[in-house]
């Protein structure tokens, strides 16, 4: 009965073995040690066939699993990237034990998955392929942000912003952001500003007081409630402290006191 | 037949894991967000110094969000789904509505409980009227 799981594993690892990149020993053996000429090819078959089978087994059970160890480690390390200690101190601390427990689980799961199935490596070692992959990610993320701005402008109710900021902020993104900010209503502007703040978009980094200058008092009030960017310029502070809206004035007095 | 003693633990862990789906969303972590907003130390040195105290607070906040606050906050969404699916007229005839009343009454607790459980465990968008 113990043979069944072993056979199942061997069959599954065939998925990984189907990709030539995952069978270096076999490829090398076939390229260098199998004779080309017919007579020698057939004459050597009694030797090459068992050696080939050994190469298959070594590729499936040893070489490829070792090859994917760094990718599995990278997958596990992903749990520890992009921690926002300054903004989300307690959240990061709360998730700390889960991350610690999850790290070996993710490593082992990823290692098994990558050993058995043909899963794309985390990043190609070929610089050209890596550059193309990075460009594809940057393009996809840029498209997501443009779609988010468009969804806001079309009046979608609280569309979900992309999970990560654009890889590079360019003129087209800047124009789309500015256009959305100029034309949206108060609710849309608030969603836009929240997304810009949360994900550190370029317009927010360049002008974190954008929300405090919003024409709508509700937006000013809400942005003040979450205000942690330090004191705004003196004239903006003075304007908020003498805001026409009583609630904004009251909140500014609490949040912007010196 | 003997029931395995670790069954409830496994079930509890599975539920917690599933609840992880819900609290992985920023907006569903109300307690932790409030702690982050009001009690986060400003300097890195202070963050390191208070970490031994803040760690259990953070873990407790996460547990409270997952087990109490978020499940409580989705009651109204689950009720909204239930009333919309079972008790809101979608143009049916008066007679059909009358026939459906007992069936709707029978289905209400199951639909409400299932919807509530799903919303408590997974990251499901709130109903638009509550957004």
């Amino acid at each position: 009965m113990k043979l069944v799981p072993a056979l199942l594993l061997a069959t599954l690892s065939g998925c990984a073995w189907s990709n030539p990149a995952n069978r270096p020993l076999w490829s090398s053996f076939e390229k260098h040690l199998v004779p080309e000429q017919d007579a020698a090819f057939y004459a050597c078959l009694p030797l090459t066939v068992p050696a080939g089978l050994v190469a298959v087994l070594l590729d499936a059970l040893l070489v490829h699993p070792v090859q994917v160890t760094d990718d599995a480690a990278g997958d596990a390390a992903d749990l520890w990237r992009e921690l926002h200690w300054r903004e989300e101190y307690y959240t990061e601390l709360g998730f700390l034990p889960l991350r610690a427990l999850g790290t070996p689980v993710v490593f082992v799961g990823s290692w098994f998955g990558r050993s058995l199935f043909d899963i794309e490596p985390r990043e190609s070692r070929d610089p050209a392929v890596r550059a193309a992959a990075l460009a594809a990610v940057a393009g996809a993320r840029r498209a997501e942000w443009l779609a988010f701005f468009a969804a806001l402008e079309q009046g979608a109710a609280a569309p979900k912003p992309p999970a990560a900021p654009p890889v590079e902020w360019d003129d087209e993104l800047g124009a789309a952001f500015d256009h959305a900010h100029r034309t949206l209503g108060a609710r849309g502007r608030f969603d836009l500003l929240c997304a810009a703040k949360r994900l550190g978009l370029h317009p927010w980094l360049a002008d974190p007081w954008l929300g405090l200058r919003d024409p709508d008092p509700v937006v000013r009030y809400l942005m003040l409630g979450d205000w942690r960017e330090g004191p705004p310029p003196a004239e903006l502070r003075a304007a908020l402290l003498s805001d026409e809206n009583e609630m904004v004035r009251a909140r500014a007095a609490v949040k912007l006191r010196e | 037949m003997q029931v395995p003693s670790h069954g409830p633990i496994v079930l509890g862990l599975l539920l917690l894991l599933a609840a992880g789906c819900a609290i992985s969303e920023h907006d569903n972590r109300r307690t932790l967000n409030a702690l982050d907003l009001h009690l986060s130390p400003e300097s890195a040195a202070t963050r390191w110094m208070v970490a031994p105290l803040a760690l259990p607070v953070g873990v407790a906040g996460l547990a409270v969000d997952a087990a109490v606050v978020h499940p409580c906050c989705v009651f109204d969404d689950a009720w909204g789904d239930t009333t919309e699916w079972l008790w809101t007229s979608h143009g049916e005839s008066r007679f059909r509505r009358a026939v459906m009343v007992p069936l709707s009454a029978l289905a209400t607790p199951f639909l409400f409980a299932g919807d509530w459980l799903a919303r408590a465990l997974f990251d499901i968008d709130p109903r638009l009227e509550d957004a």
Side-chain angles (χ1 to χ4, degrees):
Chain A
M1 282 304 284
K2 283 180 185 171
L3 202 61
V4 176
L7 277 175
L8 201 66
L9 279 178
T11 312
L12 283 175
S13 64
C15 301
W17 201 75
S18 63
N19 184 343
N22 298 340
R23 45 178 204 240
L25 212 56
W26 167 271
S27 303
S28 177
F29 174 76
E30 196 177 20
K31 188 175 173 190
H32 298 294
L33 294 180
V34 177
E36 292 280 332
Q37 291 169 342
D38 283 353
F41 177 81
Y42 288 112
C44 290
L45 277 182
L47 289 174
T48 51
V49 168
L53 287 173
V54 171
V56 171
L57 283 176
L58 281 176
D59 269 336
L61 300 178
L62 186 69
V63 179
H64 182 56
V66 170
Q67 264 184 331
V68 298
T69 306
D70 57 343
D71 282 335
D75 288 344
D78 277 348
L79 291 176
W80 298 93
R81 287 189 228 283
E82 295 189 20
L83 304 181
H84 304 102
W85 290 106
R86 193 169 180 278
E87 300 82 8
E88 299 184 331
Y89 181 60
Y90 289 92
T91 302
E92 300 297 6
L93 279 175
F95 277 103
L96 205 61
L98 299 182
R99 281 203 175 90
L101 287 174
T103 302
V105 176
V106 170
F107 175 76
V108 172
S110 168
W111 181 78
F112 259 112
R114 287 179 179 276
S115 296
L116 296 178
F117 302 103
D118 181 25
I119 298 172
E120 206 170 316
R122 286 173 59 82
E123 52 181 12
S124 170
R125 286 159 184 78
D126 180 350
V129 177
R130 193 188 300 176
L134 278 177
V137 169
R141 202 168 287 169
R142 192 168 169 282
E144 284 177 10
W145 277 100
L146 289 172
F148 173 67
F149 297 145
L152 279 173
E153 290 199 43
Q154 283 160 13
K160 226 175 194 170
V167 177
E168 275 184 38
W169 189 263
D170 58 23
D171 289 345
E172 192 183 350
L173 281 168
F177 182 94
D178 289 343
H179 187 263
H181 186 250
R182 226 177 20 252
T183 54
L184 284 170
R187 170 69 195 260
R189 281 200 308 278
F190 179 66
D191 289 339
L192 180 70
L193 291 168
C194 285
K197 178 180 179 179
R198 194 170 144 198
L199 290 150
L201 294 194
H202 180 268
W204 178 265
L205 296 176
D207 181 6
W209 306 288
L210 203 55
L212 298 187
R213 285 197 293 269
D214 197 275
D216 191 284
V218 177
V219 176
R220 293 199 296 276
Y221 178 83
L222 290 172
M223 297 311 286
L224 266 173
D226 201 18
W227 184 253
R228 299 175 67 194
E229 278 71 22
E235 70 275 16
L236 177 58
R237 182 171 175 276
L240 288 163
L241 288 171
S242 57
D243 197 281
E244 62 186 11
N245 184 286
E246 185 188 354
M247 293 298 285
V248 175
R249 280 201 308 275
R251 186 164 266 194
V254 174
K255 290 284 181 176
L256 307 180
R257 65 174 177 261
E258 286 177 327
Chain B
M1 196 178 124
Q2 203 173 13
V3 179
S5 60
H6 58 270
I9 299 174
V10 173
L11 184 67
L13 281 175
L14 277 175
L15 282 175
L16 264 181
L17 203 66
C21 299
I23 53 168
S24 64
E25 170 62 35
H26 178 269
D27 293 343
N28 295 340
R29 300 190 297 256
R30 291 165 182 83
T31 313
L32 282 175
N33 291 344
L35 286 170
D36 288 336
L37 188 62
H38 298 296
L39 291 179
S40 284
E42 282 297 321
S43 73
T46 321
R47 282 199 290 274
W48 277 105
M49 274 166 53
V50 300
L53 287 174
L55 177 68
V57 173
V59 173
L62 190 70
V64 166
D65 272 333
V68 182
V69 178
H70 180 61
C72 286
C73 289
V74 294
F75 271 126
D76 56 344
D77 282 333
W79 183 247
D81 285 345
T82 309
T83 50
E84 184 188 334
W85 292 338
L86 294 179
W87 297 103
T88 305
S89 170
H90 298 287
E92 304 94 336
S93 68
R94 195 169 47 171
F95 176 64
R96 185 174 166 184
R97 285 208 302 275
V99 170
M100 293 303 285
V101 161
L103 296 177
S104 295
L106 203 63
T108 294
F110 295 103
L111 183 62
F112 175 73
D115 191 278
W116 173 77
L117 196 62
R119 284 182 176 278
L121 294 180
F122 301 104
D123 177 27
I124 299 172
D125 284 337
R127 288 170 58 80
L128 276 183
E129 65 200 20
D130 304 321

